Amino acid sequence: MKQRALASAIGKILWAEIALSAALGTTLSTSALAQSQPAATNDSTPAATAATPAAGASSAATAPSSPEMTKDKNGVAQVKRFEVTGSLIRSSDKVGFNQVQTVTAKEIQDSGANSVSDFLRSTSANSADSWSEAESNNFAAGASGMALRGLSEKYTLVLIDGQRVAPFAFFSNGVDTFFDLNTLPLNAIDRIEIVKTGAVSQYGSDAIAGVVNIITKHDFQGLQLDGSYGGSTDGGGGNGTAKFSALGGFGNLTSDGYNVTASASFVRDNGSTLADRDSTSSMDFTGQPGGMSMLAPSYWTNPTTGNAQALSSCPYGSSVKPASTNFTSVFYGQTTGSVCGLYTGNGFSIEPWSQRLSAKVDAQFKINDTTTAFVDLWESNNTSVQGGGVWNNTVGGTNSSLVYNPSTKTFSLFNNTVPASNPYNPFGVATPLIYSFPNSVAETTDANYWRAATGVKGTLTLPNGDWDWATTYTHSQSDVSNSYSNQLNVNVLNNIFQNGTYDFANPSATPNGLNGLYMDANNIAVSKLDTLDATISTPTLFHLPTGDVGLGLGAEFFHQSESLSQGAAYAEGLVLTPDEEEVQGQRNVAAVYYQFDIPIIKGLTFSQSGRYDHYSDVGGAFSPRFALRWQPVKELTAYASYDRGFRAPTFVEDSTSQNMALVINQSGAVTALTSGNPDLQPERTKNYNIGFELSPARTTDVGLDWYKIHVSNVIGIDQPSSTVYYPGTTTPEYETFEYQNLGGLDTSGFETTFRQSLPTPYGTFTLSGDWAYVESFKFTLDGQTVNAAGNNLALNEPFGGAFPRWKGNTTLNWAYHKWSTSLTWQYVGPYTQTFTYIPTPTPQSTSMGSYSQFNLMVTYTGFKHWTLYGGIDNIFNRVPPFDAVWADGPLWQQGYDTSLYTYVGRFAQIGATYKF
């Protein structure tokens, strides 16, 4: 089957190449554009604009960087070879052995994206299973990650200037290591290169799905100030966002022998809540298919009828609502009777309040004509406040009211049965009570990230040619602390339920009844990474009749550690349902790697690379890569590659760790305590990639890729080792798991990029885009292989969300004199609702519709030193498609898949940049 799939994909792409070549044969034979030499540009001419990809949809055919120009001994200009992400060997070729999508800082700004994170998450390669700061129950509040090709975030490697960096100190979705994209200020970024093919043989075991290399500004001269303000026009107060940044530099590395570049930025986002959005403000989705009321409930279970019964007087402004439509009562099977429903929309965040500060200094020193040293210092501090509503304070509710015993390290159900002796029990017999206390939970996250890097790089000239070498030492560290307000004290809560210190229906009758109930809790985590690496390479090791043989060699050593611990309120079991998450782990990794580029015949080059990693905790592994690059004419390049790799378990998976979360599985929505397993084996991977890039003219680029990724020994959770049931039922409330090596995971699909520019007397029009189609995403579920592409079956996995087959961006740019306008269409395809975990009063929709969003950005540069810009995101104020699974639950109340969508509403912004 694998061979047939590979052969089929090869056939499709070869036919596509032949058809395109035939259709454009005349153009191919006369084009002035060679893929081995990126087009030179001049920003002052319309032609330069035509040669630049439009905002938000950079073509993979775009050169990764502008190559430096040198002159030979006769004074003839030559293109100097440049570095490209995914290759050890410098090259003058615009297209290498795989697709590299390059995005500049200007393109990010022109796209209208509100942050670097928003832009990267909107790219088509980030197809599913990743989480932003908008996800309120992700274990990594305020942070945002990226997951290439639908594999979870731990399979994507993020680099800064080609160097590894410490991951965010908490784990996305409780298990995934990732780099927080919100750490990055836009003004410090020069460009971002995305390698959509696994690059394990060069970078290591966490580059399975691809690599995102964020390249910062160096050798800047002058001063640039930028400020902007924007806000949502949707219901409520909106979420105003203010930004200010400064970028400065002095010294010319070439003439002065040094340069110092510094940047600083400030961003404040006021956030938004359920109350600020028309689609969520009522907290009532009963008008939607499968929708229910999400009002926080309080009710008795009538001891005579077994039905839900609202309190005699609904407290705190709540009101009587039918039990048949309230999520909690339906979850417990109590669809007859009534409940007291409490509105909590003002305390549940759609977007957190956040403040981000960042400062970076880079100094470059020219030791001699061939050697340069550098020092790079960077610190970022992000603070966010995420409101979780009062659902976490619904005692007896579906988030599981659990009491932790620190002596036995086990959980038991909180006894929410009010005895007959309690004077506020109106039934005279012991009666269960589900009760929502009024104060909202809020999580304040203080995340500090810093990095220090130093190194030396240069060129050695030997008889056979130039050798590029570099050595770098980097220390990076993520320190994160979380503080949770309004946690319920177990002892006080038990006194309220058992001893009658609080009038449930009339709280004013017992004004001191809640004394001591609320308390703060906290946890803290530190992630550190020290890296030492060295590389040396030459594109001209020796010469064959077919061309030059290239060689690259590298070695790397890094030490990684993680410490995640709880404060006393959690560790000692003082509060109800503590955020049980503990991780302690460290490892040393040593690696050597290489790359050979060998021309077989003219136009056909073979590349073979490999890497051997030795992990101190899981042993060693060799990861080879085999690749071909075929350029029959200078305008067409085809490539194919096969990689083998492995992924070492994260510290959550194989170290001393525990984390508690709401898991959706065959039992429904269950609170699960999952422990690390030191006996885990690494996952093994295979990665296939075939594609081509076609540039028949200076104004045209087309790229198409097919990929297939196979992961064996997938690490996940399967059957629980123990289960605690709701009293008197067979419905699980609390299960324990251990991470295990399970079956396999296979995903495949197509990705395409395109750019077409048309210079006219009325300006230059450019149409560009990047699109992805997921053919399959197969894994084992309950002993059977299922395909999650195009549906929401991946919700069963620890990293899962819905998985639309289609995702894409298309941008139309118009540049005329000092004006530039970009209109971007962002598209997320439909998906099927094949998985539900709770019976609903009305049938859920079996199909979630597609989503289209249009963003407009306008820039004017007609004033000296000034650039003025403004725009509107989500022009038509589209609401993400309603998804009952993401509405009918205590943790997700937005009504849409938060792994796919960030619902800001219509967002307008204006700004200005001044350059000295």
Side-chain angles (χ1 to χ4, degrees):
M1 291 298 294
K2 295 176 183 177
Q3 288 79 3
R4 286 200 297 269
L6 183 61
S8 174
I10 293 172
K12 291 175 183 177
I13 290 184
L14 288 177
W15 276 113
E17 292 175 14
I18 293 170
L20 285 168
S21 299
L24 299 165
T26 303
T27 306
L28 289 172
S29 63
T30 59
S31 173
L33 175 62
Q35 289 199 352
S36 59
Q37 296 186 12
T41 62
N42 184 331
D43 291 341
S44 63
T45 65
T49 306
T52 303
S58 301
S59 170
T62 306
S65 62
S66 298
E68 300 176 19
M69 301 299 294
T70 61
K71 293 184 179 182
D72 64 11
K73 62 183 179 181
N74 298 317
V76 179
Q78 302 289 323
V79 177
K80 186 177 179 179
R81 300 174 187 267
F82 53 86
E83 294 179 4
V84 60
T85 304
S87 176
L88 270 174
I89 303 170
R90 286 176 176 260
S91 172
S92 61
D93 292 323
K94 180 179 171 182
V95 180
F97 294 90
N98 48 255
Q99 181 182 160
V100 179
Q101 180 178 357
T102 302
V103 182
T104 66
K106 184 179 185 304
E107 290 166 357
I108 297 175
Q109 187 174 50
D110 289 348
S111 73
N114 202 28
S115 66
V116 176
S117 168
D118 286 348
F119 181 89
L120 286 174
R121 288 177 51 78
S122 71
T123 59
S124 62
N126 185 69
S127 51
D129 294 337
S130 66
W131 308 89
S132 73
E133 68 275 12
E135 172 52 43
S136 58
N137 290 278
N138 190 31
F139 289 95
S144 180
M146 188 173 184
L148 295 175
R149 289 179 166 170
L151 296 175
S152 64
E153 295 169 27
K154 61 191 174 188
Y155 294 93
T156 295
L157 176 63
V158 176
L159 306 173
I160 303 296
D161 292 326
Q163 301 298 314
R164 283 178 168 269
V165 285
F168 190 72
F170 282 80
F171 295 80
S172 178
N173 223 11
V175 66
D176 284 0
T177 55
F178 73 106
F179 177 78
D180 179 17
L181 300 175
N182 286 327
T183 305
L184 300 165
L186 178 59
N187 73 322
I189 294 175
D190 179 69
R191 66 187 187 276
I192 300 174
E193 296 175 358
I194 305 174
V195 180
K196 301 179 183 180
T197 303
V200 177
S201 61
Q202 181 175 347
Y203 297 112
S205 68
D206 40 3
I208 301 299
V211 175
V212 179
N213 188 11
I214 299 161
I215 300 167
T216 61
K217 287 186 171 72
H218 307 282
D219 206 19
F220 183 84
Q221 298 173 55
L223 180 64
Q224 175 179 306
L225 303 177
D226 184 89
S228 68
Y229 182 81
S232 173
T233 64
D234 202 19
N239 64 332
T241 302
K243 293 185 266 187
F244 180 79
S245 64
L247 174 67
F250 58 91
N252 184 291
L253 187 61
T254 302
S255 59
D256 300 328
Y258 72 92
N259 174 265
V260 177
T261 298
S263 64
S265 70
F266 166 85
V267 178
R268 176 175 290 173
D269 189 330
N270 288 326
S272 56
T273 67
L274 295 176
D276 294 330
R277 297 290 173 265
D278 293 338
S279 64
T280 60
S281 59
S282 68
M283 296 187 67
D284 187 347
F285 298 109
T286 54
Q288 299 281 0
M292 287 186 276
S293 168
M294 300 308 299
L295 298 178
S298 295
Y299 65 92
W300 299 96
T301 299
N302 188 295
T304 302
T305 65
N307 297 331
Q309 181 173 319
L311 280 64
S312 59
S313 176
C314 288
Y316 302 109
S318 58
S319 56
V320 178
K321 300 292 182 181
S324 60
T325 58
N326 186 272
F327 169 76
T328 298
S329 53
V330 171
F331 184 85
Y332 284 108
Q334 296 168 312
T335 57
T336 303
S338 60
V339 303
C340 291
L342 177 64
Y343 182 77
T344 63
N346 290 309
F348 191 100
S349 295
I350 288 179
E351 287 279 338
W353 178 94
S354 61
Q355 179 173 287
R356 300 168 189 153
L357 301 169
S358 181
K360 185 176 183 295
V361 178
D362 178 85
Q364 307 271 337
F365 304 97
K366 186 177 179 181
I367 298 176
N368 54 45
D369 288 341
T370 60
T371 308
T372 303
F374 76 92
V375 176
D376 191 275
L377 302 174
W378 172 30
E379 184 166 11
S380 177
N381 181 268
N382 296 344
T383 302
S384 66
V385 180
Q386 184 85 264
V390 302
W391 276 93
N392 291 324
N393 288 341
T394 299
V395 177
T398 55
N399 62 317
S400 296
S401 298
L402 301 176
V403 178
Y404 179 64
N405 186 326
S407 300
T408 61
K409 296 187 180 298
T410 58
F411 287 86
S412 60
L413 296 176
F414 176 79
N415 181 12
N416 67 318
T417 298
V418 180
S421 59
N422 189 316
Y424 304 111
N425 179 348
F427 298 99
V429 296
T431 305
L433 172 67
I434 288 180
Y435 194 83
S436 295
F437 290 90
N439 288 16
S440 295
V441 173
E443 179 180 1
T444 300
T445 299
D446 185 9
N448 194 77
Y449 192 93
W450 68 277
R451 172 182 180 264
T454 185
V456 183
K457 61 181 178 179
T459 302
L460 293 173
T461 300
L462 299 176
N464 64 323
D466 291 340
W467 288 73
D468 300 307
W469 61 272
T471 182
T472 305
Y473 168 74
T474 303
H475 173 85
S476 53
Q477 183 169 324
S478 171
D479 301 280
V480 184
S481 64
N482 293 323
S483 178
Y484 303 83
S485 65
N486 294 322
Q487 303 290 284
L488 300 184
N489 183 291
V490 170
N491 291 330
V492 175
L493 187 65
N494 189 68
N495 202 36
I496 287 173
F497 271 74
Q498 303 302 317
N499 299 324
T501 61
Y502 175 74
D503 189 335
F504 302 107
N506 185 19
S508 61
T510 50
N512 299 319
L514 298 184
N515 285 355
L517 176 64
Y518 297 111
M519 62 182 299
D520 291 342
N522 71 291
N523 54 20
I524 189 169
V526 179
S527 170
K528 297 180 181 180
L529 181 69
D530 288 274
T531 302
L532 178 64
D533 63 65
T535 61
I536 186 168
S537 67
T538 178
T540 56
L541 180 64
F542 57 86
H543 186 74
L544 296 176
T546 53
D548 291 325
V549 174
L551 170 66
L553 300 171
E556 182 179 33
F557 173 83
F558 62 87
H559 175 78
Q560 183 181 7
S561 64
E562 171 73 31
S563 174
L564 194 165
S565 56
Q566 302 167 308
Y570 285 154
E572 297 175 14
L574 302 181
V575 298
L576 191 70
T577 316
D579 185 7
E580 179 66 20
E581 187 177 16
E582 293 183 275
V583 182
Q584 298 293 330
Q586 62 176 331
R587 59 168 54 123
N588 294 322
V589 181
V592 291
Y593 49 100
Y594 67 90
Q595 177 181 332
F596 281 104
D597 290 350
I598 305 171
I600 299 175
I601 59 175
K602 185 177 182 180
L604 180 64
T605 304
F606 171 71
S607 179
Q608 204 281 306
S609 57
R611 179 185 179 104
Y612 179 79
D613 292 272
H614 185 271
Y615 281 66
S616 59
D617 53 348
V618 295
F622 177 68
S623 304
R625 178 176 188 254
F626 306 90
L628 286 172
R629 179 183 183 274
W630 180 46
Q631 191 174 13
V633 291
K634 60 185 179 181
E635 295 83 1
L636 174 65
T637 302
Y639 44 79
S641 62
Y642 167 71
D643 306 68
R644 293 184 65 93
F646 79 108
R647 185 188 70 82
T650 67
F651 288 135
V652 170
E653 294 166 336
D654 77 342
S655 72
T656 303
S657 72
Q658 284 187 322
N659 69 82
M660 187 167 66
L662 188 69
V663 172
I664 300 174
N665 57 26
Q666 59 270 25
S667 300
V670 182
T671 296
L673 180 68
T674 308
S675 302
N677 180 359
D679 296 326
L680 285 176
Q681 296 300 309
E683 297 176 348
R684 302 290 173 172
T685 66
K686 298 178 182 178
N687 196 314
Y688 307 83
N689 193 82
I690 305 171
F692 70 87
E693 300 287 344
L694 179 65
S695 301
R698 181 182 294 273
T699 57
T700 305
D701 291 306
V702 178
L704 178 65
D705 276 68
W706 172 85
Y707 69 88
K708 178 179 175 62
I709 301 173
H710 170 74
V711 184
S712 58
N713 288 340
V714 170
I715 297 172
I717 57 176
D718 190 11
Q719 298 298 318
S721 55
S722 65
T723 303
V724 175
Y725 298 91
Y726 289 109
T729 74
T730 58
T731 302
E733 168 143 358
Y734 163 55
E735 297 178 339
T736 59
F737 294 86
E738 185 179 60
Y739 288 107
Q740 302 174 24
N741 288 109
L742 305 175
L745 185 153
D746 290 272
T747 182
S748 63
F750 291 86
E751 295 170 340
T752 184
T753 58
F754 58 87
R755 178 186 62 86
Q756 178 62 60
S757 293
L758 180 63
T760 75
Y762 307 101
T764 298
F765 296 87
T766 303
L767 182 69
S768 58
D770 64 286
W771 283 74
Y773 174 78
V774 181
E775 189 175 33
S776 67
F777 193 88
K778 297 180 179 179
F779 61 92
T780 302
L781 176 64
D782 295 340
Q784 296 184 352
T785 299
V786 298
N787 186 358
N791 57 64
N792 70 340
L793 279 173
L795 276 168
N796 291 273
E797 293 300 299
F799 55 78
F803 210 136
R805 290 186 183 272
W806 284 100
K807 185 177 182 181
N809 302 285
T810 301
T811 296
L812 178 62
N813 177 271
W814 174 50
Y816 184 66
H817 296 302
K818 304 299 182 180
W819 292 91
S820 176
T821 302
S822 295
L823 178 65
T824 300
W825 169 37
Q826 296 177 337
Y827 177 82
V828 178
Y831 61 91
T832 302
Q833 193 77 286
T834 56
F835 175 77
T836 59
Y837 69 96
I838 181 175
T840 55
T842 58
Q844 295 188 17
S845 175
T846 57
S847 179
M848 302 297 104
S850 63
Y851 176 81
S852 291
Q853 177 176 313
F854 291 87
N855 304 333
L856 177 67
M857 202 67 183
V858 179
T859 303
Y860 179 69
T861 58
F863 300 113
K864 186 177 181 180
H865 302 303
W866 286 94
T867 298
L868 306 179
Y869 58 90
I872 300 176
D873 292 351
N874 197 1
I875 296 172
F876 302 109
N877 205 16
R878 288 289 306 278
V879 178
F882 176 77
D883 187 331
V885 171
W886 291 84
D888 300 339
L891 304 184
W892 311 309
Q893 301 180 39
Q894 298 93 327
Y896 55 86
D897 188 333
T898 57
S899 70
L900 295 176
Y901 305 109
T902 300
Y903 179 38
V904 178
R906 184 187 293 113
F907 185 89
Q909 61 177 314
I910 56 172
T913 301
Y914 187 82
K915 296 181 180 180
F916 292 87

